[in-house]
Amino acid sequence: MDNQNSIERIDSAISDSRQATYDKILYSYYDKFRKGSVNFDTVYNKGQYYMAKQYGKRKEISSSVFMLLRAPKVYKMTSYNTPAGGSYNQLKTFWEKDCDDVLEFAKDLDTSIGTYQADGRLYLVRNLVDSATYRPWGVLVHRLNLNYCLESLLHFYDNANVKIVLDGKNIVTQGNAEIWKDAPEAEKKGSAVYTVKDKKAYICHKEGTNYGLMASTVSLVVIPVIIVYIFLQKYIIKGMTAGAVKG
């Protein structure tokens, strides 16, 4: 299982979310709106174009929402990527089920990036902060395309019991949930634990490492080589010494 590949894809989505802070394009639209030099329709049209261009074709991100905190459900921009699982219904689910909780979650983030999960929906959440006052003025939310981000971790043996934990949150559970009551217990059961920055993935099955099966596999590989060497050793030695130079 290639855990590193999944981590790189999630890191790519995180880097994309930072871009909105670095390029300050959304802030420039907000600043004009805040000062009254443009109406929100102008901000909306330009913001929608920015969202579609920046996030609408990212495989890691299925849909994105940007909200101005002065009235987040009124002053908003969105985009979704159909090939990545995004849809209008996905955005509708966000507004109806997750928006209020995500906004509450964002209050404690300050300038950090956090992950919020609800019924298998995983969001990257970050505040956009005014560089002069350090106060949040908007919230950017990406719904991750888990089928792509965790692609290398989602192809397990059918009978495996698997749990993936990201940023302290349970993302995927397969098989017997009783085995996965908590991640530290998983370590005692012979799991592999991978850590990069603040992201962890715990992957194992209840038997841990099957040493009997491993020994059998090694024997099947090594024994034929030994048998071939026994029967052909005189030819092998002859070939090795054919080019030798006598002293």
Side-chain angles (χ1 to χ4, degrees):
M1 289 179 249
D2 186 4
N3 179 63
Q4 183 61 33
N5 189 42
S6 292
I7 289 174
E8 288 174 357
R9 291 179 179 183
I10 293 172
D11 279 339
S12 177
I14 291 173
S15 295
D16 281 342
S17 74
R18 290 194 180 103
Q19 185 63 31
T21 296
Y22 297 152
D23 62 31
K24 296 185 179 180
I25 292 176
L26 287 175
Y27 180 78
S28 68
Y29 301 153
Y30 160 73
D31 192 44
K32 292 177 181 178
F33 173 60
R34 177 175 63 88
K35 294 176 179 178
S37 58
V38 298
N39 59 29
F40 184 72
D41 287 342
T42 301
V43 172
Y44 174 81
N45 291 331
K46 291 183 177 181
Q48 284 289 108
Y49 175 78
Y50 174 88
M51 294 286 287
K53 181 179 178 181
Q54 188 69 33
Y55 307 119
K57 295 183 179 180
R58 299 297 302 180
K59 293 180 180 179
E60 301 89 350
I61 299 169
S62 59
S63 59
S64 300
V65 174
F66 175 69
M67 299 171 281
L68 299 182
L69 285 176
R70 60 188 295 177
K73 292 185 179 182
V74 177
Y75 301 132
K76 59 190 179 183
M77 303 140 198
T78 61
S79 72
Y80 61 83
N81 181 12
T82 302
S87 65
Y88 171 79
N89 283 334
Q90 193 177 87
L91 292 172
K92 184 179 179 182
T93 297
F94 173 79
W95 296 119
E96 293 179 351
K97 295 183 178 181
D98 302 327
C99 180
D100 291 337
D101 292 333
V102 166
L103 288 170
E104 192 66 28
F105 172 74
K107 290 180 180 179
D108 297 324
L109 286 179
D110 194 22
T111 58
S112 300
I113 298 172
T115 56
Y116 180 83
Q117 185 195 5
D119 297 329
R121 301 181 294 277
L122 183 65
Y123 300 99
L124 283 181
V125 185
R126 67 173 292 112
N127 291 315
L128 270 66
V129 179
D130 190 309
S131 58
T133 64
Y134 293 101
R135 293 179 180 176
W137 56 273
V139 178
L140 180 62
V141 183
H142 296 311
R143 179 166 169 176
L144 291 182
N145 175 12
L146 294 183
N147 287 332
Y148 178 76
C149 289
L150 303 179
E151 181 180 17
S152 59
L153 299 177
L154 293 177
H155 300 290
F156 305 113
Y157 295 110
D158 292 339
N159 60 348
N161 296 287
V162 180
K163 182 175 183 178
I164 300 175
V165 177
L166 174 65
D167 198 18
K169 299 176 179 65
N170 180 22
I171 305 306
V172 175
T173 300
Q174 176 179 305
N176 186 355
E178 289 299 313
I179 295 171
W180 298 105
K181 289 184 177 179
D182 52 51
E185 186 66 21
E187 295 182 47
K188 299 175 185 178
K189 295 179 182 295
S191 63
V193 180
Y194 306 89
T195 305
V196 173
K197 298 179 182 177
D198 60 345
K199 296 177 287 294
K200 293 185 178 181
Y202 301 84
I203 306 102
C204 81
H205 53 84
K206 64 179 179 180
E207 292 81 15
T209 303
N210 191 330
Y211 292 103
L213 179 60
M214 183 185 296
S216 300
T217 303
V218 171
S219 298
L220 288 173
V221 173
V222 174
I223 290 175
V225 177
I226 295 174
I227 293 174
V228 170
Y229 177 78
I230 291 174
F231 283 100
L232 300 178
Q233 60 179 317
K234 68 176 183 178
Y235 299 104
I236 295 173
I237 294 172
K238 184 177 179 180
M240 293 175 64
T241 57
V245 180
K246 294 183 179 180

